[in-house]
Amino acid sequence: GETAMERKETIKDSLIAEETFFRSNDPWRNIEDRTLFGTENLRRKLGDLQMNMFRDTIPDIIKELSEKRDAANNQLLSMGVVAKTVSEKRHFYSDLVDNLLDFTRKSLSGKGIDWTLDAYVSACSELNQEFDKFCTDIGRSKLVKITDICKGTPVLVMSTDGGEIRGKVAA
């Protein structure tokens, strides 16, 4: 340890001294299996042990990763086709908004809802309150007070089939 460092011994010198110690001192000198002693043998055995542990655990790790990948792929598939272009994304969100509005209308009107479930009644009531709050907030916002649109203002119009028209206010 420290004395070897103070004497500036190399690792090779320390390994030779270690081998000499085990060959010359009892009870180790009478044991024929020399692989039981020394840093080099310990390092080799620990490396083998670690490699065996890797070999034993890697199949389980690969299996777990494979299961998680499959679960993620199934979640992606359950989401449907992923929109890639800007137009596809707009169409997707437009459909999403239409479906949400349809559900909201049905919920507020009571049509198409299984009213035997208490959860729908309280959810509908809560949704109605939030919708009233939303309408009140919009009524107080700057959007209500728009009285004119300036010439040159960029405009984007979306058609129901997902197409779009871009332009600027002319007059």
Side-chain angles (χ1 to χ4, degrees):
E2 262 184 60
T3 56
M5 285 176 40
E6 289 170 5
R7 291 185 304 222
K8 298 186 181 182
E9 281 184 18
T10 65
I11 293 175
K12 186 176 180 181
D13 292 337
S14 296
L15 292 173
I16 291 169
E18 181 183 65
E19 178 65 26
T20 303
F21 174 83
F22 284 121
R23 287 194 183 277
S24 12
N25 290 298
D26 285 328
W28 304 286
R29 72 177 175 171
N30 296 326
I31 299 175
E32 289 186 31
D33 186 1
R34 302 316 298 167
T35 62
L36 298 175
F37 310 111
T39 303
E40 285 299 317
N41 290 322
L42 177 62
R43 194 177 297 152
R44 193 174 303 112
K45 285 181 183 180
L46 288 174
D48 291 344
L49 180 65
Q50 188 175 29
M51 187 57 71
N52 289 335
M53 289 173 68
F54 286 148
R55 284 186 188 119
D56 291 344
T57 57
I58 285 195
D60 290 337
I61 293 170
I62 290 172
K63 181 181 175 189
E64 181 181 349
L65 288 173
S66 181
E67 289 170 354
K68 287 183 179 182
R69 182 198 63 220
D70 292 345
N73 284 336
N74 288 337
Q75 282 183 320
L76 280 174
L77 289 174
S78 72
M79 295 170 83
V81 177
V82 177
K84 293 186 173 104
T85 67
V86 172
S87 180
E88 288 173 342
K89 290 176 184 177
R90 283 194 183 119
H91 188 67
F92 171 78
Y93 288 113
S94 177
D95 287 347
L96 186 67
V97 167
D98 289 344
N99 290 336
L100 179 62
L101 286 173
D102 185 51
F103 175 78
T104 303
R105 283 187 194 105
K106 285 179 182 177
S107 295
L108 293 174
S109 70
K111 296 177 183 174
I113 300 293
D114 182 0
W115 291 104
T116 60
L117 301 173
D118 289 339
Y120 285 120
V121 176
S122 61
C124 194
S125 173
E126 188 175 330
L127 180 62
N128 197 7
Q129 290 171 1
E130 290 299 318
F131 186 72
D132 286 344
K133 181 181 175 223
F134 173 76
C135 289
T136 303
D137 290 347
I138 287 291
R140 293 180 189 152
S141 74
K142 293 178 183 178
L143 293 174
V144 167
K145 298 174 187 164
I146 294 176
T147 56
D148 58 12
I149 298 175
C150 299
K151 184 177 180 181
T153 301
V155 178
L156 171 65
V157 178
M158 297 291 299
S159 66
T160 56
D161 66 356
E164 59 183 53
I165 300 170
R166 292 176 182 269
K168 293 187 177 185
V169 175

